[in-house]
Amino acid sequence: MTDPAADPGPIAFIGLGMMGLPMASRLVAAGFSVRGSDLSEQALAAFAAAGGIVCASARTAAQGTTIVITMLPNGSIVRDALLGSGGAALALAPGSLVIDMSSSAPMETRQLAEELSAREVFLVDAPVSGGVKRAVSGTLAIMAGGDPAQIERARPVLSAMGSTIIATGAPGSGHAVKALNNYVSAAGLVAACEAVLIAEKFGVDPNVLVDVLNVSTGKNNSTELKLKPFILSRTFASGFSMALMAKDLRTAADLSEQLGVDAEGARDAATLWAEASATLGKAADHTEIHRFVAGRSVKPEQGG
Ligand code: NAD
């Protein structure tokens, strides 16, 4: 920690998966004392190897802390890890702060903020973008919703994990912006995959197509960082699962519905990714959307 005056004491970190482990490791490396919990023994062993303090439950991890970070698959798991039996919030003193860095559903986050507030515990939703690579380098983009004073309180901790922290407004707004970001990102990825398939069919080397896109107006995060490393190489190893992306798109589509905004693209994206996730299974990486789109693109032979 660069500023000892900003030391919040030990921090609890719940959820040490593909993202949580490198993020918690950044906190340890920055000098924070980090108490971690996860359901996976493997995740806990890796956390111990990174210098973290392994705890048996979320509640145990939160004991003696005033800041709890969650990095879990979705908002209902976050709620359970905080307020269920053995939940972290049960160990927190009034005035403590929960920072939910998962990609949770914004309306659920509003509700959670109210429930925590009844216990005099603050909530900042601070989801991230940038994937595993930027979690490892501590250069995530962080979008933070909640009371500005609590975002400032969280800033020294967030700064150890991210290089950009943008306050987005009221509680839940970080999660809203995150779901919308992933909608735009997923739409760009599907467009890029379709472009590869069409170019190949025309006889254009897909690597050449990517080179052209990346110096042209079609450039996006997927053309730059996903097509060659994960899709054309067929490694499909970005570290972000298809199931989680499908969840984010469902969140974006639900949000549009809840707000009465007719967003056909978001609805279609949620349907497409749900089908892809159901077809390719739990272990699929989100970049395998290319395989799904390719499978769908083959038109049946014309009869007679
Ligand atoms: P992950 O599945 O790799 O990790 C989730 C971890 O949570 C697992 O280790 C699991 O054992 C643990 N867990 C589940 N339920 C638990 C509970 N009740 N108590 C304690 N631990 C529990 O997922 P991830 O890729 O690290 O993603 C985490 C969150 O970050 C998700 O909300 C995801 O949408 C978001 N996210 C992921 C990426 C990415 O590139 N992977 C990028 C940005 C945001």
Side-chain angles (χ1 to χ4, degrees), residues 13-23 37-41 43 57-58 70-75 77-78 80-81 100-104 127-133 140 178 182 238-241 243-245 247-248 286:
F13 204 110
I14 322 293
L16 301 162
M18 293 299 294
M19 293 294 285
L21 178 64
M23 289 163 67
S37 113
D38 196 291
L39 301 180
S40 150
E41 289 299 328
S57 69
T70 45
M71 192 54 176
L72 294 162
N74 60 51
I77 295 176
V78 169
D80 197 48
D100 180 22
M101 303 192 76
S102 329
S103 304
S104 306
V128 306
S129 183
V132 173
K133 203 169 167 192
L140 290 164
K178 169 62 188 173
N182 278 25
S238 76
F240 181 41
S241 73
L244 288 176
M245 180 64 110
K247 169 214 53 174
D248 292 339
H286 83 288

Side-chain angles (χ1 to χ4, degrees), residues 206-259:
N207 288 287
V208 172
L209 170 73
V210 178
D211 291 341
V212 171
L213 291 174
N214 285 338
V215 293
S216 307
T217 53
K219 178 170 81 170
N220 65 35
N221 176 272
S222 295
T223 66
E224 281 194 298
L225 301 177
K226 296 180 185 173
L227 282 184
K228 282 190 183 180
F230 304 126
I231 293 174
L232 299 186
S233 68
R234 294 286 190 275
T235 58
F236 301 117
S238 76
F240 181 41
S241 73
M242 184 171 283
L244 288 176
M245 180 64 110
K247 169 214 53 174
D248 292 339
L249 295 168
R250 182 74 265 155
T251 303
D254 285 351
L255 186 62
S256 72
E257 203 167 300
Q258 287 154 347
L259 297 173

Side-chain angles (χ1 to χ4, degrees), residues 9-277:
I11 295 171
F13 204 110
I14 322 293
L16 301 162
M18 293 299 294
M19 293 294 285
L21 178 64
M23 289 163 67
S25 302
R26 292 293 311 183
L27 292 177
V28 172
F32 292 101
S33 166
V34 187
R35 300 168 57 80
S37 113
D38 196 291
L39 301 180
S40 150
E41 289 299 328
Q42 204 184 341
L44 290 173
F47 178 60
I53 302 160
V54 169
C55 299
S57 69
R59 185 176 184 157
T60 313
Q63 263 155 20
T65 73
T66 55
I67 294 187
V68 172
I69 296 174
T70 45
M71 192 54 176
L72 294 162
N74 60 51
S76 64
I77 295 176
V78 169
R79 192 183 178 285
D80 197 48
L82 291 169
L83 292 167
S85 67
L90 310 182
L92 290 176
S96 298
L97 170 64
V98 171
I99 309 173
D100 180 22
M101 303 192 76
S102 329
S103 304
S104 306
M107 295 304 189
E108 290 175 16
T109 303
R110 276 188 180 170
Q111 170 70 28
L112 179 64
E114 282 174 23
E115 286 178 69
L116 289 173
S117 172
R119 309 179 77 93
E120 296 180 57
V121 170
F122 298 100
L123 176 70
V124 164
D125 47 306
V128 306
S129 183
V132 173
K133 203 169 167 192
R134 284 169 63 185
V136 170
S137 61
T139 56
L140 290 164
I142 301 178
M143 42 222 99
D147 176 359
Q150 295 303 319
I151 293 174
E152 283 316 302
R153 178 181 177 186
R155 193 173 288 276
V157 176
L158 298 178
S159 297
M161 297 179 278
S163 50
T164 314
I165 301 163
I166 299 181
T168 49
S173 61
H175 283 151
V177 170
K178 169 62 188 173
L180 296 173
N181 173 75
N182 278 25
Y183 163 44
V184 173
S185 173
L189 175 55
V190 170
C193 290
E194 288 178 346
V196 164
L197 293 167
I198 299 164
E200 271 178 321
K201 195 80 177 177
F202 195 79
V204 176
D205 179 344
N207 288 287
V208 172
L209 170 73
V210 178
D211 291 341
V212 171
L213 291 174
N214 285 338
V215 293
S216 307
T217 53
K219 178 170 81 170
N220 65 35
N221 176 272
S222 295
T223 66
E224 281 194 298
L225 301 177
K226 296 180 185 173
L227 282 184
K228 282 190 183 180
F230 304 126
I231 293 174
L232 299 186
S233 68
R234 294 286 190 275
T235 58
F236 301 117
S238 76
F240 181 41
S241 73
M242 184 171 283
L244 288 176
M245 180 64 110
K247 169 214 53 174
D248 292 339
L249 295 168
R250 182 74 265 155
T251 303
D254 285 351
L255 186 62
S256 72
E257 203 167 300
Q258 287 154 347
L259 297 173
V261 178
D262 187 9
E264 193 179 345
R267 269 197 309 276
D268 287 351
T271 304
L272 172 78
W273 285 82
E275 283 174 15
S277 183

